[in-house]
Amino acid sequence: MTPPASEADPTPDPAPLKLVLFDCDGTLVDSQHMIVAAMRDAHAAHGVVLPERDRLLSVVGLSLPEAFAMLSQGDRAYPVEALVDAYRNAFTRLRNAEPPEPMFEGAREVLDALRQRDDLVLGMVTGKARRGVDRVLKAHDMEGWFTTIQTADDAPSKPHPAMVFQAMGEIGARPEETVVVGDTTYDVSMALQAGASALGVGWGYHEVADLQRAGADHIVHRFDEVPAAIFDLLARRRAIAG
């Protein structure tokens, strides 16, 4: 006769893993100077009129082909593939010549505190290539801080939810125990499509009103507000689940 589960294995089930996935550009680091400069160089190389700065920043977070396709506004004469290559070349050149992208105020301190908690796992979901992520982490002495890193090399562009699904699969986390932290509507949409909570940040490249319209569960305006917001969102999901 098989004993009851409580007698067969007295060890209680472990608490479900809580996964926090951070976007990079516009959320952790302020890369707008290098992005705009690389965009300028790429457009100049092909004699294409440079879109307004706000429009350039509006596509940050997308993978490069999707970003340039959006900037084209359907104009078939807009050389998307050539601009992607030119942007990559320009960004590499700038990356080697310029200081690394600075972190937003308070970002590193908050991440350092969160990564030391036993009840959280940190991850990253970004439109950057893995090479760019590695450079940022090395420059800010954060190598090994993120247990899972999903990049433009690994999955379809945001707002497709594949990055979140892949991260949850690697960690074994459930959607209701996952929070995505990002500065764009693409981050919000990606999180919601994956069933995760969406925490918007107000210091990035999309307007707060746009994040709200996209359905962000909560929005913070300083990095030191992030930890409390994460645990509040997780508590809300637990309450809904009963």
Side-chain angles (χ1 to χ4, degrees):
M1 179 176 176
T2 303
S6 59
E7 296 178 16
D9 183 5
T11 303
D13 291 336
L17 290 171
K18 300 173 180 65
L19 175 61
V20 184
L21 299 171
F22 286 90
D23 168 55
C24 188
D25 294 318
T27 300
L28 298 181
V29 299
D30 188 1
S31 50
Q32 62 178 300
H33 169 72
M34 289 182 64
I35 290 171
V36 172
M39 284 282 190
R40 182 187 62 239
D41 290 358
H43 283 77
H46 292 279
V48 181
V49 175
L50 183 69
E52 295 292 328
R53 183 185 184 88
D54 288 348
R55 181 151 182 77
L56 294 177
L57 294 177
S58 75
V59 300
V60 175
L62 298 174
S63 64
L64 286 176
E66 284 73 15
F68 280 104
M70 185 171 287
L71 290 174
S72 75
Q73 297 183 302
D75 182 358
R76 294 184 178 181
Y78 193 82
V80 171
E81 292 184 8
L83 287 169
V84 168
D85 290 339
Y87 177 92
R88 285 179 174 143
N89 292 334
F91 199 90
T92 297
R93 185 176 65 254
L94 291 166
R95 183 179 62 203
N96 293 332
E98 300 282 340
E101 302 97 307
M103 296 195 76
F104 286 103
E105 183 178 358
R108 193 179 189 283
E109 292 78 7
V110 168
L111 290 173
D112 194 19
L114 290 176
R115 75 185 181 95
Q116 297 183 55
R117 294 185 63 111
D118 294 332
D119 54 348
L120 288 184
V121 176
L122 298 190
M124 184 182 291
V125 284
T126 174
K128 273 186 177 301
R130 182 60 188 246
R131 182 173 59 179
V133 171
D134 289 345
R135 176 180 181 272
V136 168
L137 296 180
K138 182 176 181 179
H140 294 287
D141 195 22
M142 296 191 302
E143 292 169 297
W145 285 26
F146 297 91
T147 304
T148 178
I149 298 175
Q150 307 297 325
T151 73
D153 299 332
D154 310 312
S157 175
K158 301 174 185 180
H160 194 287
M163 289 189 194
V164 180
F165 283 131
Q166 290 174 186
M168 291 191 297
E170 285 186 10
I171 301 304
R174 303 195 301 250
E176 62 269 25
E177 297 289 349
T178 300
V179 179
V180 176
V181 185
D183 69 303
T184 71
T185 58
Y186 314 126
D187 297 308
V188 172
S189 178
M190 176 180 65
L192 299 181
Q193 289 184 73
S197 298
L199 177 57
V201 305
W203 54 79
Y205 305 146
H206 283 193
E207 297 293 331
V208 167
D210 293 330
L211 299 178
Q212 292 171 329
R213 281 191 288 269
D217 295 296
H218 187 69
I219 295 173
V220 293
H221 299 276
R222 299 192 318 271
F223 226 104
D224 60 7
E225 298 173 340
V226 168
I230 288 170
F231 287 102
D232 180 63
L233 290 176
L234 292 170
R236 284 193 223 171
R237 293 294 291 270
R238 286 195 297 272
I240 292 172

